[in-house]
Amino acid sequence: METTKLPPSSPSSPTTGFSVPSAEKVDGFPRRSMRRARQRRSHSSSQFRYQSSQVELTPLPLLKDVPVAELHDLFCKKLQQCCVLFDFLDCVADLKGKEIKRAALNELVEGVATSRGVLIEPLYPEAIKMISVNIFRTLPPSENPEFDPEEDEPTLEASWPHLQLVYEFFLRFLESPDFQPSMAKRYLDQKFVLQLLELFDSEDPREREYLKTILHRVYGKLLGLRAYIRKQINNIFLRFIYETEHFNGVAELLEILGSIINGFALPLKSEHKQFLVRVLIPLHTARSLSIFHAQLAYCVVQFMEKDATVTEYIIRGLLKYWPKTCTQKEVMFLGEMEEILDVIEPSQFLRVQEPLFRQIAACISSSHFQVAERALYFWNNEYILSLIEENCQVILPLVFATLYRVSKEHWNQTIVSLIYNVLKTFMEMNSKLFDDLTASYKVEKQKEVKRERERVELWRGLDELQERRVQSLQEATLNQRNLLECPAPSQLDPVPTQPDLTCPDPAQPDPAPCSTSAT
Amino acid sequence: MAGADGDDSLYPIAVLIDELRNEDVQLRLNSIKKLSTIALALGVERTRTELLPFLTDTIYDEDEVLLALAEQLGNFTMLVGGPEYVHCLLPPLESLATVEETVVRDKAVESLRKISHEHSPVDLEVHFEPLVKRLASGDWFTSRTSACGLFSVCYPRVSSTVKAEIRQHFRTLCSDDTPMVRRAAASKLGEFAKVLELDYVKSDIISLFTALASDEQDSVRLLAVEACVSIATLLPQEDLETLVMPTLRQAAEDKSWRVRYMVADKFSELQKAVGPEITKNDLVPAFQNLLKDCEAEVRAAAANKVKEFCENLPEDSKETIIMSHILPCVKELVSDTNQHVKSALASVIMGLSTILGKDNTVEHLLPLFLAQLKDECPEVRLNIISNLDCVNEVIGIRQLSQSLLPAIVELAEDAKWRVRLAIIEYMPLLAGQLGVEFFDEKLNSLCMAWLVDHVYAIREAATCNLMKLVEKFGAEWAQNTIIPKVLGMANDPNYLHRMTTLFCINSLSEACGQEITTKQMLPVILKMSNDQVANVRFNVAKSLQKIGPVLDSNTLQTEVKPVLEKLATDQDMDVKYFAQEAVSVLALA
């Protein structure tokens, strides 16, 4: 039981079967910690797939031992040799062959990194072919369908001993002073890039780290691919946001984008603005936001620093996607908002201050003290404080009622004292306005209650009206139908034309509950 | 439509619109959910001229509000004045079909599909089809994805010129630049093929299908597999080989496991769609490969289909194919390294016995069943036990009983209560098949042990199990074997166990009959009315109410009534409540 079984893999049957020692059968529920303990660091590989006949490798002479005239030929042969793939799930299979390939890869890395003049044109297709054969593969199904990148150990790529060297070779190849983009672009084409991007979904962080650096180099050197790369990253993000909610490499891709955004020319092209509004901002809705929030916030602030006119899109976007139930995410949003306000231009601030401070007021009244606290910290930020002061006339009325109310009823003492400080700051800023608001607080409250009563009244009236109308409408429908006598031939299926008018009244109380209390 | 117009003085539109604009999202959501009420108050005329334009103009809101709106508008036909005005609903739905959030868009498309049927053919061409075209050529991918779901609803009812345009638009979307749109198109390909004329299926759909099935992204290719089923169903048999099979073969050997998984998952549908000949020649080897796939996901999906696939094989060669091609693969799967594969197999493997008959079952399948019954994974064993009825029909489960027992005992004590629950549910079946002697000897103690399980759901299921056993073995058996034990628990120090006695009595009294109930059960219940735990006391009241109908009126009056009257004056309000309820239900007042 302990060692023989592969971990479960199928999302279709997610319950994992294992038995716990009977001593731990307390309530029949497996402890999460027990599951943890059982989860060994697992390996997986989908690399060794469709090679039916295994080729026997024979060691070639060392690169440094051959005359310069034969160097390229040998280099080429080594590249071809490295196209053979090995089974790493069976760790004792073909050890000799694995060693030969490892040594060859090491030599290739060394060769491309140190010797000058190795990279001649005929080597490009061979090198790219070797890289493609080794790294491009359909990633295996995740062994843990509920994989939580923050909690669970990632599945590591079993063939890493070779794969790492291949990535290393690729990186050195791109960074070599001899590297000629004009030659490479014939082989490093769009299809290649697309496959490279798909690998970012790898669960193995080591692989993603290499991919990040490599993609960055490719973006830097092959200008013709830039637009394509950006577009494909967009597609990956959009699929992540709206379709699968799963992609392991979001943080890495964002990191690359951070530096790409930095290099955007001004004025921003509409393509880039669209990327901000339709991709980056909606990325905030992801459930796994915490994994890539730092990189995402960096990208967003980069955009603002490039072009202040996008500020309004950003802030309104964040407000639209503001978390409703997840307080952890709310704290992240507040953190990002502070970063944004840190660099906001006063003219832009004017455009968003009302919805923004309405949201901040809502955060202050959160019963989760971390949310409230994070929002109140805004008043410790000197720049933000100066903005508030300049616009005190607008902001104070927006937040006053909340501050006043929460200061009286929040359960957490820290929050209460923070609020007193904020109220004090406001008092000092504009004591006249403060006094007015304090005086009118009760009146406003009463007005609110009155409005609420009117609302209830309005809906009661509407509901009554509905009841009366449903009757007459039904009759009218019936008459009309009789009159027309089944008109269109295409109405094959009788469409239920009666709209859903009889919604149950949610105000109806439940039938008397029977309490069950143990004594 | 007399009387359907709104009352201006009562509800000016501004007031209603204010409700839809309320700052509080929750209030706004509530208002949108009652949009039909607002429309009714306004009347059809003003709904068309004032409410709908307002809704169309203000589509920038929380997605939750938009979702509710998209749903509402699908049911709005009568509120705008019936089918002749239904096209008024198109502008707001069109905007909703372009928003980013998938659920909102999908709901808008659903509503559009719904109201498309309410359009007259003329309106469909004048209003609906242009909307589809606009969506199909939208700038952003969202509107183009939405368009994919609308072609098939308008195609059958428009003129041939418009039909040609629609086909053209669909073609364009199938080769769209963004994979999101291609995925949407691929997922609607089968549906669209169904409404097309056969000639166009052959000329248009097949080339689109082939292209999508070799898309550079596996997420697109796998959707083409789904379409394959519908397309193959539409084509005459003689065209399948040339038009569909090359693509299907390619999909079954795709380099991405996701595509192969899809093929495995849709295997039965594919089998039905391509017919017996192709099944024999092509699908059998393909299925063998899927059962041996290197990815466990794929093997599990294929294993799930083993029974269905075998069942649907052509009669003339069914047995030969199973015995020589499928069974060898199945044998390997029994000792697969992955538990999900084994568990998938275990859930269907028993079904093979009815197909193969008694002799083959005993010779070939029985060893496999036994091996799976001893599997280390409880799910595998459970799946075998859950399907015992199939094999029982063919050979009876006595053959299995030797191996069955250890497996059952182990599952009965499994750490996961869901596993225990599942095995309890099979107890009556097992008892029936194994006979009363075997049951008393081996399984009875398990059934009693479940009554004191620490999970309520298990105790409850155990109670229900006892009732079913009594129904099978009769009241006399109950009196001798289980009732003494059940009643003995009435003196247990744990009040939960004492309550279990009451729950057992509730379900057993009817099966046991009046005599046992009156003589043995009733005294125990009555005694428990003095229990110090209120929960036990009010359950006594509930039990008395429950078994009342089984008792005769004399007993009710002389024994039950005084106890209930006493409980009705209990100091605990719940005890009082249930005692009073029992009194009134049993008409003892």
Side-chain angles (χ1 to χ4, degrees), chain A residues 248-262:
Chain A
N248 289 315
V250 176
E252 283 81 2
L253 290 175
L254 283 171
E255 211 176 316
I256 299 173
L257 284 166
S259 65
I260 292 178
I261 295 165
N262 213 345

Side-chain angles (χ1 to χ4, degrees), chain B residues 27-60:
Chain B
L27 293 179
R28 218 154 63 220
L29 188 59
N30 292 346
S31 309
I32 282 282
K33 283 185 175 159
K34 292 193 147 192
L35 198 59
S36 57
T37 309
I38 293 180
L40 209 59
L42 288 171
V44 293
E45 176 80 37
R46 295 180 60 213
T47 297
R48 287 199 299 268
T49 54
E50 295 174 45
L51 183 62
L52 286 176
F54 163 75
L55 292 173
T56 315
D57 287 343
T58 51
I59 294 188
Y60 180 85

